[in-house]
Amino acid sequence: MSDLRELYQEVIFDHNKKPHNFRKLENANHQADGHNPLCGDQITVYLNVEGEVIKDISFQGSGCAISKASASLMTDSLKGKTVAEAENLFDKVHKMLIGDTTIDQQALGKLAALSGVSQFPVRVKCATLGWHTVHAALKAKEEKVSTE
Ligand code: ZN
């Protein structure tokens, strides 16, 4: 178990240091800003959705390692998924983050690296900020969200 924990920490470290899809998306047709006042995390997500499929997704922002790594892992996992699949995945990730043990972490792939967050309830908002912001972006073209 400690090996797994080290591996997870490494994944979070790498994604924080070199976040994937960390840029503005020029052809975005959905966009939203998110803010987690508890920690000071700020994020903007950009999506290019064609029909029901998330063709491309990116983000920019500043915040703690958890918020950045979570958003980076999220963009990797959501690219190519349908909007319904994305909402379903958010539901599973959220359950994992609040410590629901019925979630099959293996099925979540690299997102399982965030499972340790369930030990730190105050960080759950950091880890879900990107996801909440994507949810808002998919509902509206532009909207401010806050975890408060
Ligand atoms: Zn944070």
Side-chain angles (χ1 to χ4, degrees):
M1 192 61 201
S2 80
D3 281 355
L4 190 62
R5 204 167 297 153
E6 271 174 36
L7 173 73
Y8 283 174
Q9 280 175 356
E10 214 168 291
V11 170
I12 289 172
F13 182 82
D14 285 350
H15 277 265
N16 174 49
K17 207 170 138 200
K18 281 183 112 178
H20 296 186
N21 308 300
F22 193 75
R23 62 194 156 86
K24 189 175 187 222
L25 202 65
E26 294 305 332
N27 60 346
N29 53 12
H30 291 264
Q31 175 182 341
D33 295 321
H35 181 214
N36 174 17
L38 278 183
C39 180
D41 307 315
Q42 302 261 13
I43 188 174
T44 303
V45 298
Y46 306 92
L47 294 109
N48 178 251
V49 181
E50 266 179 46
E52 281 298 304
V53 180
I54 298 168
K55 289 276 181 191
D56 208 353
I57 173 168
S58 70
F59 79 105
Q60 283 186 318
S62 61
C64 66
I66 295 290
S67 69
K68 231 163 157 185
S70 177
S72 173
L73 287 159
M74 174 190 75
T75 54
D76 278 350
S77 351
L78 291 186
K79 210 178 280 189
K81 290 220 168 24
T82 65
V83 170
E85 284 167 344
E87 298 286 1
N88 187 268
L89 192 59
F90 178 26
D91 186 53
K92 289 200 174 106
V93 168
H94 186 242
K95 283 183 174 151
M96 174 184 78
L97 290 170
I98 58 172
D100 185 333
T101 51
T102 64
I103 295 300
D104 178 7
Q105 292 188 10
Q106 286 214 303
L108 293 176
K110 284 202 164 183
L111 290 166
L114 297 164
S115 60
V117 171
S118 65
Q119 307 292 317
F120 307 95
V122 71
R123 308 314 293 275
V124 170
K125 286 184 174 181
C126 301
T128 53
L129 178 64
W131 296 85
H132 280 298
T133 310
V134 163
H135 177 77
L138 289 170
K139 295 282 164 210
K141 288 205 176 208
E142 201 158 349
E143 194 178 305
K144 286 254 184 214
V145 293
S146 170
T147 53
E148 282 304 281

Short mmCIF file of all heavy atoms in Angstrom, two decimals, residues 36 38-41 63-68 122-123 125-127 129, ligand 1:
data_model
loop_
_atom_site.label_atom_id
_atom_site.label_comp_id
_atom_site.label_asym_id
_atom_site.label_seq_id
_atom_site.Cartn_x
_atom_site.Cartn_y
_atom_site.Cartn_z
N ASN A 36 -11.95 28.57 -5.81
CA ASN A 36 -12.10 27.93 -4.51
C ASN A 36 -11.53 28.87 -3.45
O ASN A 36 -10.33 28.87 -3.20
CB ASN A 36 -11.35 26.59 -4.50
CG ASN A 36 -11.34 25.94 -3.13
OD1 ASN A 36 -12.12 26.29 -2.26
ND2 ASN A 36 -10.44 24.99 -2.94
N LEU A 38 -11.55 28.96 -0.30
CA LEU A 38 -10.94 28.35 0.88
C LEU A 38 -9.43 28.23 0.73
O LEU A 38 -8.69 28.31 1.69
CB LEU A 38 -11.52 26.95 1.12
CG LEU A 38 -12.85 26.88 1.85
CD1 LEU A 38 -13.21 25.42 2.06
CD2 LEU A 38 -12.74 27.59 3.19
N CYS A 39 -9.00 27.97 -0.51
CA CYS A 39 -7.58 27.69 -0.75
C CYS A 39 -6.95 28.74 -1.65
O CYS A 39 -5.74 28.89 -1.69
CB CYS A 39 -7.47 26.29 -1.36
SG CYS A 39 -5.82 25.75 -1.73
N GLY A 40 -7.79 29.47 -2.39
CA GLY A 40 -7.27 30.46 -3.32
C GLY A 40 -7.04 29.92 -4.73
O GLY A 40 -6.37 30.56 -5.53
N ASP A 41 -7.58 28.71 -5.00
CA ASP A 41 -7.41 28.12 -6.34
C ASP A 41 -8.30 28.84 -7.35
O ASP A 41 -9.46 29.11 -7.08
CB ASP A 41 -7.80 26.64 -6.33
CG ASP A 41 -7.11 25.85 -5.25
OD1 ASP A 41 -5.89 26.02 -5.09
OD2 ASP A 41 -7.79 25.06 -4.57
N GLY A 63 -3.05 27.71 -8.45
CA GLY A 63 -3.60 27.13 -7.24
C GLY A 63 -2.65 26.12 -6.65
O GLY A 63 -1.50 26.02 -7.05
N CYS A 64 -3.16 25.35 -5.72
CA CYS A 64 -2.33 24.38 -5.02
C CYS A 64 -2.06 23.17 -5.92
O CYS A 64 -2.67 23.01 -6.98
CB CYS A 64 -3.02 23.95 -3.74
SG CYS A 64 -4.53 23.04 -4.01
N ALA A 65 -1.15 22.32 -5.47
CA ALA A 65 -0.77 21.14 -6.25
C ALA A 65 -1.95 20.23 -6.54
O ALA A 65 -2.08 19.70 -7.64
CB ALA A 65 0.31 20.36 -5.50
N ILE A 66 -2.84 20.08 -5.56
CA ILE A 66 -3.98 19.17 -5.75
C ILE A 66 -4.92 19.69 -6.83
O ILE A 66 -5.36 18.95 -7.71
CB ILE A 66 -4.75 18.98 -4.41
CG1 ILE A 66 -3.86 18.28 -3.37
CG2 ILE A 66 -6.04 18.20 -4.63
CD1 ILE A 66 -3.55 16.83 -3.63
N SER A 67 -5.22 20.99 -6.78
CA SER A 67 -6.16 21.55 -7.76
C SER A 67 -5.58 21.46 -9.17
O SER A 67 -6.29 21.15 -10.13
CB SER A 67 -6.53 22.99 -7.41
OG SER A 67 -5.44 23.86 -7.59
N LYS A 68 -4.29 21.72 -9.29
CA LYS A 68 -3.65 21.72 -10.60
C LYS A 68 -3.52 20.30 -11.14
O LYS A 68 -3.82 20.03 -12.30
CB LYS A 68 -2.27 22.35 -10.49
CG LYS A 68 -2.01 23.44 -11.50
CD LYS A 68 -0.83 24.24 -11.03
CE LYS A 68 -0.16 24.94 -12.19
NZ LYS A 68 1.06 25.62 -11.73
N VAL A 122 -10.70 18.88 3.67
CA VAL A 122 -10.61 20.28 3.26
C VAL A 122 -10.04 20.41 1.84
O VAL A 122 -10.27 21.40 1.15
CB VAL A 122 -9.79 21.10 4.30
CG1 VAL A 122 -8.32 20.76 4.24
CG2 VAL A 122 -10.00 22.60 4.11
N ARG A 123 -9.32 19.37 1.40
CA ARG A 123 -8.75 19.41 0.04
C ARG A 123 -9.70 18.89 -1.03
O ARG A 123 -9.39 18.99 -2.23
CB ARG A 123 -7.45 18.60 -0.03
CG ARG A 123 -6.41 18.94 1.02
CD ARG A 123 -6.20 20.43 1.21
NE ARG A 123 -5.60 21.10 0.07
CZ ARG A 123 -4.28 21.14 -0.13
NH1 ARG A 123 -3.45 20.59 0.71
NH2 ARG A 123 -3.81 21.77 -1.18
N LYS A 125 -12.39 20.12 -2.05
CA LYS A 125 -12.82 21.24 -2.90
C LYS A 125 -11.72 21.62 -3.90
O LYS A 125 -12.03 22.10 -4.99
CB LYS A 125 -13.22 22.44 -2.05
CG LYS A 125 -14.56 22.21 -1.39
CD LYS A 125 -15.04 23.40 -0.62
CE LYS A 125 -16.45 23.13 -0.10
NZ LYS A 125 -16.97 24.27 0.65
N CYS A 126 -10.48 21.43 -3.51
CA CYS A 126 -9.37 21.68 -4.45
C CYS A 126 -9.44 20.67 -5.60
O CYS A 126 -9.29 21.02 -6.77
CB CYS A 126 -8.03 21.51 -3.74
SG CYS A 126 -7.79 22.60 -2.34
N ALA A 127 -9.67 19.42 -5.23
CA ALA A 127 -9.65 18.34 -6.23
C ALA A 127 -10.87 18.35 -7.14
O ALA A 127 -10.81 17.88 -8.27
CB ALA A 127 -9.53 16.99 -5.53
N LEU A 129 -12.57 21.23 -7.96
CA LEU A 129 -12.77 22.54 -8.59
C LEU A 129 -12.82 22.45 -10.12
O LEU A 129 -13.74 22.97 -10.75
CB LEU A 129 -11.68 23.53 -8.14
CG LEU A 129 -11.75 24.92 -8.78
CD1 LEU A 129 -13.04 25.65 -8.38
CD2 LEU A 129 -10.54 25.76 -8.39
ZN ZN B 1 -6.31 24.08 -3.29
#
